[in-house]
């Protein structure tokens, strides 16, 4: 019981330790006055939330993290505890504890949980966590009155957020700014998610995407009677240029990126050339060809021709990729074929 009154926590008294039990007559009419199997006293009923913000003191301009809601968790004569809304990426736990002859000790604990939260808010939380890890002090201010609730405190246990995750969030925020959209982080983050965000950001900022490749597969529908194998002698270097339209999927949403031009060096191996020649005898109208990169490596260069005007966002943005293919001996040489 002493802990209930001092700290605002709960205490459970087993029925075996209760000699008699009486309650208000209206409650007695409903529940009776029989000795209960156990009796719980406390804890403190949480109070209404109060709007607060965090202010960091660090070299340069101070960092503000606002929009927090803090409520009383429990309160006693010696210990009082507050905590902010756990649905925010930042959860602040604040404990005031009376120490004999030493005044009141203030303990500030901070948790950062990013997965499943809004990207922009999570990015702000990363900046906050990294500043604290660098030694910044954190203060708590009442949003309504502007009064300082807690003077700046350092949090020695603060750790920086993983640099890869921080960069991922920076990319998502940059995409949001460009497209006027809003992302939430997935509950489980994959390496593909991180690559997608960086690639789409690069596309929207530079209009280009360059990837290395080992094999590259295209589907061709040649003119009637055309011999595809004559365009790709075995083991000889060729350059192909693909034009069409393209979208980019990120977090189950797709951005329509408009017309593209894809250029890459390719080699048709002897085995693939023989397989293709055999298919040509079957009278098929469509052929799937798998090219290999040149021996010294190859890159697929995609140019987004209208990237400065990209703004459509949504599942309806999908477009077909392939329209035409040009085959060349080398970049800048005369076109040998279009199909």
């Amino acid at each position: 019981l002493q802990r209930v009154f001092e700290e605002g926590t709960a205490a459970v008294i087993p029925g075996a330790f209760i000699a008699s039990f009486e309650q208000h007559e209206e409650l007695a009419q409903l529940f009776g006055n029989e000795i209960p199997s156990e009796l719980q006293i406390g804890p403190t009923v949480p109070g209404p939330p109060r709007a607060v913000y965090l202010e960091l003191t660090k070299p340069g301009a101070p960092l503000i993290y606002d929009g927090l809601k803090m409520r009383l968790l429990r309160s006693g004569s010696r210990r009082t505890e507050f905590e902010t809304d756990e649905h925010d990426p930042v959860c602040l736990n604040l404990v005031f504890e009376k120490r004999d002859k030493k005044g009141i000790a203030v303990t500030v604990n901070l948790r950062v949980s990013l997965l499943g939260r809004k990207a922009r808010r999570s990015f702000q939380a990363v900046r906050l966590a990294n500043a604290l890890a660098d030694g910044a002090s954190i203060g708590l201010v009442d949003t309504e009155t502007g009064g300082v609730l807690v003077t700046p405190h350092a949090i020695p246990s603060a750790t920086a957020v993983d640099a890869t995750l921080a960069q991922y969030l920076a990319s998502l925020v940059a995409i949001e700014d460009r497209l006027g959209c809003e992302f939430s982080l997935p509950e489980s983050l994959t390496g593909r998610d991180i690559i997608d965000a960086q690639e789409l950001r690069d596309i929207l900022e530079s209009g280009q995407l360059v990837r290395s490749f080992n094999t590259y597969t295209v589907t061709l529908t040649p003119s009637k009677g055309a011999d595809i194998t004559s365009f790709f002698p075995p083991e000889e270097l060729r350059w192909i240029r693909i034009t069409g339209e393209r979208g980019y999927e990120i977090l189950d949403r797709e951005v329509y990126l408009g017309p593209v031009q894809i250029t890459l060096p390719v080699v048709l191996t002897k085995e693939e050339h023989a397989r293709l020649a055999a298919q040509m005898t079957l009278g098929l109208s469509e052929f799937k060809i798998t090219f290999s990169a040149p021996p010294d490596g190859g890159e697929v260069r995609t140019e987004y021709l209208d990237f400065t005007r990209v703004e459509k966002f949504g599942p309806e943005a999908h477009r077909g990729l392939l329209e035409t293919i040009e085959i060349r001996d080398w970049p800048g040489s005369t076109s040998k074929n279009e199909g």
Side-chain angles (χ1 to χ4, degrees):
L1 287 178
Q2 182 178 359
R3 191 166 66 248
V4 172
F5 296 114
E6 289 185 351
E7 300 182 8
T9 57
V12 177
I13 303 175
F17 291 89
I18 302 175
S20 63
F21 181 77
E22 294 183 7
Q23 54 187 338
H24 191 279
E25 61 181 23
E26 293 182 357
L27 294 176
Q29 290 176 2
L30 293 173
F31 304 107
N33 276 324
E34 292 82 4
I35 294 176
S37 59
E38 63 179 27
L39 178 65
Q40 178 174 314
I41 302 175
T44 306
V45 177
R50 191 177 189 89
V52 297
Y53 66 86
L54 303 177
E55 185 173 22
L56 269 71
T57 56
K58 63 172 188 173
L63 176 63
I64 302 296
Y65 190 88
D66 58 5
L68 290 173
K69 299 289 186 181
M70 175 169 277
R71 66 170 65 238
L72 174 68
L73 280 186
R74 56 188 64 88
S75 181
S77 61
R78 298 184 65 84
R79 191 176 190 273
T80 300
E81 185 174 355
F82 298 86
E83 191 165 272
T84 58
D85 184 3
E86 63 181 8
H87 295 98
D88 193 273
V90 169
C91 183
L92 183 76
N93 179 269
L94 191 62
V95 178
F96 297 88
E97 192 168 5
K98 186 177 180 180
R99 302 284 177 83
D100 294 334
K101 300 180 182 180
K102 294 183 180 181
I104 296 177
V106 179
T107 303
V108 181
N109 297 301
L110 189 110
R111 300 194 308 273
V112 176
S113 303
L114 303 177
L115 297 182
R117 308 299 205 271
K118 298 294 185 183
R120 188 174 299 273
R121 187 67 168 172
S122 295
F123 184 57
Q124 295 171 343
V126 166
R127 295 180 61 204
L128 175 75
N130 288 349
L132 290 172
D134 286 340
S137 297
I138 188 172
L140 186 66
V141 181
D142 187 299
T143 301
E144 183 177 345
T145 66
V148 176
L149 302 177
V150 178
T151 56
H153 277 67
I155 303 181
S157 60
T159 57
V161 174
D162 176 75
T164 300
L165 181 55
Q167 182 60 43
Y168 171 68
L169 287 168
S171 296
L172 286 184
V173 170
I175 296 169
E176 288 183 346
D177 289 341
R178 175 63 189 281
L179 299 179
C181 62
E182 187 178 77
F183 290 109
S184 291
L185 272 69
E187 294 291 344
S188 178
L189 194 63
T190 68
R192 186 66 252 176
D193 292 326
I194 294 171
I195 293 172
D196 287 345
Q198 185 60 60
E199 285 189 346
L200 183 54
R201 181 182 184 180
D202 289 344
I203 292 169
L204 295 174
E205 291 180 351
S206 70
Q208 294 190 57
L209 178 64
V210 179
R211 288 174 171 169
S212 60
F213 77 100
N214 293 318
T215 61
Y216 194 91
T217 301
V218 300
T219 300
L220 294 180
T221 305
S223 303
K224 186 176 181 180
D227 181 6
I228 302 177
T229 58
S230 65
F231 306 139
F232 300 102
E235 307 297 344
E236 289 192 18
L237 179 64
R238 288 290 185 269
W239 284 77
I240 59 175
R241 177 178 293 163
I242 304 169
T243 59
E245 295 183 339
R246 194 169 230 185
Y248 197 102
E249 186 175 318
I250 180 170
L251 295 177
D252 298 324
R253 303 167 73 180
E254 190 168 1
V255 185
Y256 171 54
L257 297 171
V260 300
Q261 180 174 277
I262 304 171
T263 308
L264 66 155
V266 296
V267 170
L268 195 65
T269 64
K270 293 179 180 178
E271 294 78 12
E272 184 69 8
H273 188 275
R275 187 190 67 81
L276 182 60
Q279 283 192 324
M280 293 290 295
T281 65
L282 302 177
L284 302 177
S285 60
E286 186 175 272
F287 300 89
K288 183 175 289 187
I289 308 175
T290 299
F291 296 103
S292 297
D296 57 352
E299 290 182 336
V300 181
R301 179 176 298 274
T302 305
E303 297 177 77
Y304 297 83
L305 306 180
D306 281 344
F307 78 97
T308 58
R309 295 189 290 177
V310 170
E311 56 185 23
K312 184 177 288 188
F313 197 95
E316 74 283 358
H318 179 71
R319 296 291 186 276
L321 168 62
L322 199 60
E323 285 186 354
T324 65
I325 292 183
E326 292 180 55
I327 306 163
R328 297 174 179 264
D329 293 322
W330 199 255
S333 67
T334 57
S335 177
K336 295 182 63 176
N337 178 70
E338 290 193 8

